[in-house]
Amino acid sequence: MRSFPPFDGLIAFEAALRHASVTRASAELGLTQSAVSHRLRKLEDFVGMPLLVRQPGGLSATAAGIALSNELAGLLDRMADFRALCRAAAPPPALKVGVGAALADYWLVRRLPYFAEAHPGIPVELVILQGDAHARSTDLDVTVLWQPTAGSRATSTQRLLFREHIYPVCHPRLLPGRRPLADITRLRSLPLLHKGRAGEDSGVEWSWMTWFERLGLGRPPPADIRFATIATAIAAALAGNGIVLARSLLVQDALKDGRLVRVLPQSWDLPSSKTQIVRWPAAMAQDRRVKAFVDWVLRIPKIPGA
């Protein structure tokens, strides 16, 4: 009989290497840190050598780990396509579309009726994703993902949807005249909304420290409240609680409707380090429903400054 590596160890290794952290891998996989560490040890015992090493910046792969990682990414993608092959042979009536909560709430749900109007015979089941692992473990026909720009090139199974920009917005009552600040020093006196944990590396464009340095305003005031997600931070801005650094796609409608206004002129916008892509399994590439949805979402008008 052939000897197979422990599959749970492969999953733990891929997550730990991608996050450079057992802690973050355990959070993604819904396991304790000790359980992830145990699975990693079991895989290393199977291979017979270390696969990961702890560095000052987090976990990194050994030479053996790099060799495994190079093969593993494609293997996991092909295994994820097993279900897609079955779905392609006998597609269910509803098209399952996976999307992040913020993009769904602030952008997609407002536009889905237009897809239904154009394609009345294709019902859509919207699945709210809770991270990359959820996207890979769910039977999805189409997925809209926010990915690093380096991985956004067009392929046979994905297309670039939007390149977004980051800029501050707020409720109109915080900005008399509803026009961008003529005197940017006034930003010091306005309440700031912060996204993510302090010190979290989610791109310099999300840091108020970066923005204050660019504007020559020194250091920003300390954060009294932080919001775990961009969706919650934007909700706080819509309630008039302060200024939020937002993605152009998520505030497009609120700006157009006057529920939010820009705080700075567009010339200060920063490009996002991530882009929106639309992706589908290779096995579903010829599915007429997938083609219809991808064609439709790619034709949605691009927004100024995005």
Side-chain angles (χ1 to χ4, degrees):
M1 292 183 62
R2 289 181 291 178
S3 178
F4 293 102
F7 185 69
D8 58 355
L10 293 173
I11 298 298
F13 169 77
E14 189 276 336
L17 182 58
R18 175 161 41 85
H19 288 292
S21 165
V22 169
T23 301
R24 289 194 288 271
S26 63
E28 176 184 298
L29 299 174
L31 300 168
T32 63
Q33 293 183 44
S34 60
V36 172
S37 296
H38 173 72
R39 294 182 181 191
L40 290 172
R41 286 195 298 272
K42 190 165 60 171
L43 178 62
E44 289 181 331
D45 289 343
F46 174 86
V47 174
M49 61 189 68
L51 298 172
L52 294 170
V53 60
R54 190 173 299 279
Q55 304 281 6
L59 293 177
S60 62
T62 63
I66 293 172
L68 176 60
S69 176
N70 290 340
E71 293 296 325
L72 187 57
L75 173 63
L76 293 179
D77 286 342
R78 291 192 295 274
M79 294 184 71
D81 279 349
F82 288 168
R83 290 174 301 183
L85 288 168
C86 298
R87 290 174 67 84
L95 182 75
K96 294 183 73 172
V97 178
V99 63
L103 193 67
D105 291 347
Y106 292 109
W107 184 74
L108 186 57
V109 293
R110 192 169 182 175
R111 290 159 175 79
L112 274 180
Y114 298 108
F115 177 78
E117 182 180 331
H119 303 280
I122 306 179
V124 173
E125 179 184 342
L126 204 61
V127 179
I128 303 302
L129 301 178
Q130 307 297 325
D132 291 345
H134 186 204
R136 289 195 301 272
S137 65
T138 306
D139 291 323
L140 297 173
D141 301 313
V142 180
T143 311
V144 180
L145 297 167
W146 197 44
Q147 296 285 296
T149 301
S152 64
R153 68 185 184 281
T155 70
S156 60
T157 57
Q158 76 176 33
R159 292 289 185 275
L160 172 66
L161 184 54
F162 285 106
R163 295 187 185 276
E164 295 189 80
H165 280 70
I166 312 300
Y167 45 79
V169 297
C170 70
H171 192 281
R173 71 167 172 260
L174 294 180
L175 210 62
R178 299 186 173 212
R179 300 179 66 84
L181 292 173
D183 178 9
I184 60 176
T185 61
R186 286 190 54 212
L187 190 60
R188 292 199 197 101
S189 61
L190 295 172
L192 306 180
L193 303 175
H194 297 257
K195 179 187 77 73
R197 295 186 296 271
E200 185 178 60
D201 183 14
S202 57
V204 295
E205 66 269 25
W206 294 104
S207 167
W208 275 115
M209 179 66 75
T210 297
W211 282 83
F212 268 56
E213 288 177 353
R214 292 178 70 220
L215 296 166
L217 299 179
R219 296 181 62 86
D224 293 326
I225 302 176
R226 286 187 172 272
F227 299 92
T229 68
I230 186 61
T232 313
I234 291 176
L238 286 165
N241 294 346
I243 300 173
V244 65
L245 292 171
R247 288 160 40 197
S248 46
L249 205 60
L250 302 186
V251 295
Q252 172 188 7
D253 294 337
L255 289 172
K256 183 177 179 180
D257 298 344
R259 291 173 288 135
L260 292 173
V261 293
R262 280 178 170 268
V263 177
L264 297 173
Q266 187 174 330
S267 58
W268 286 102
D269 293 0
L270 280 176
S272 173
S273 57
K274 293 186 176 182
T275 56
Q276 294 286 354
I277 63 169
V278 58
R279 180 181 293 170
W280 56 94
M284 302 296 291
Q286 300 306 314
D287 188 291
R288 67 173 184 84
R289 304 164 309 142
V290 171
K291 286 184 173 182
F293 187 87
V294 170
D295 289 345
W296 171 78
V297 79
L298 289 174
R299 286 199 308 270
I300 293 176
K302 302 299 185 285
I303 56 179

